[in-house]
Amino acid sequence: MQEDTQQHPEEFHPTAFRTEKHAVRFGGMMKPEKRKVLFVDDSNHRWEYFCEMFRNEETDHVEFVWARDYDETISALKSGKWNIVFLDHDLEDPGDWDTKMGWRDGTAIVNWIREHTPDIGFVVCHSMDPVGRKSMSMSLENGGYKNAQIAFYSIDSVVEPITALISHGNSFRWVEQDNEI
């Protein structure tokens, strides 16, 4: 009887793997991993500034979504996984009080996140309100969410690490002082 010497090629399993740029490979074809970024802020000016800073060829595979208030944010968070969420503290008109939950601001959104645990990779608390920003950051940290805090108009001083986080999800080390960028 003749021994079976035929070589059996390894079976191809179309499983994804990550390269250093987090591309996904299926059958020899490379394509960028689709990433989602949620920007929560009630200011049209800040949204335009954010897009100006971070929408470029390095982030062309990223879906940027803008939520202006509590309801839009919760609706977006319910829609699926978010790689990164930029969260402002002071949202909507200061007179927008809900008798059940109080102010419908960034803190209320953080409370919802902690209660409902949506799939979020990283949160940047970007409020100009230092007390609100720190409070949101500490609450997120206590809930097990990776986060950092920054005054919004200081965001241009950390464009490189934020672009890396947005476009590739690379791990990087925030230069921190009291968890503040």
Side-chain angles (χ1 to χ4, degrees), residues 46-63:
R46 286 188 186 166
W47 167 244
E48 289 172 359
Y49 183 77
F50 178 82
C51 290
E52 197 175 295
M53 296 295 294
F54 298 107
R55 279 191 170 166
N56 55 51
E57 64 280 344
E58 202 170 333
T59 61
D60 63 354
H61 62 285
V62 178
E63 176 185 355

Side-chain angles (χ1 to χ4, degrees), residues 32-91:
E33 177 183 332
K34 186 67 174 171
R35 299 186 56 74
K36 289 175 62 178
V37 173
L38 177 61
F39 183 80
V40 181
D41 200 305
D42 57 343
S43 168
N44 185 49
H45 174 72
R46 286 188 186 166
W47 167 244
E48 289 172 359
Y49 183 77
F50 178 82
C51 290
E52 197 175 295
M53 296 295 294
F54 298 107
R55 279 191 170 166
N56 55 51
E57 64 280 344
E58 202 170 333
T59 61
D60 63 354
H61 62 285
V62 178
E63 176 185 355
F64 291 89
V65 175
W66 178 30
R68 294 172 210 58
D69 59 31
Y70 177 88
D71 293 327
E72 287 181 9
T73 303
I74 301 309
S75 178
L77 289 172
K78 287 178 177 179
S79 73
K81 177 183 172 153
W82 292 93
N83 298 95
I84 184 168
V85 174
F86 288 82
L87 180 59
D88 187 18
H89 180 267
D90 302 322
L91 299 173

Side-chain angles (χ1 to χ4, degrees), residues 125 127-137 149-151 180:
C125 303
S127 182
M128 295 299 289
D129 174 358
V131 174
R133 185 174 67 231
K134 187 166 187 130
S135 171
M136 290 189 312
S137 178
Q149 53 176 305
I150 187 168
E180 204 165 314

Side-chain angles (χ1 to χ4, degrees), residues 107-118:
T107 299
I109 292 169
V110 167
N111 292 339
W112 186 92
I113 289 170
R114 291 198 51 192
E115 184 178 331
H116 295 89
T117 62

Side-chain angles (χ1 to χ4, degrees), residues 18-24 31-33 35 167-170:
R18 295 175 184 271
T19 67
E20 68 181 14
K21 286 234 176 193
H22 287 266
V24 180
K31 66 179 185 175
E33 177 183 332
R35 299 186 56 74
S167 63
H168 309 301
N170 290 350

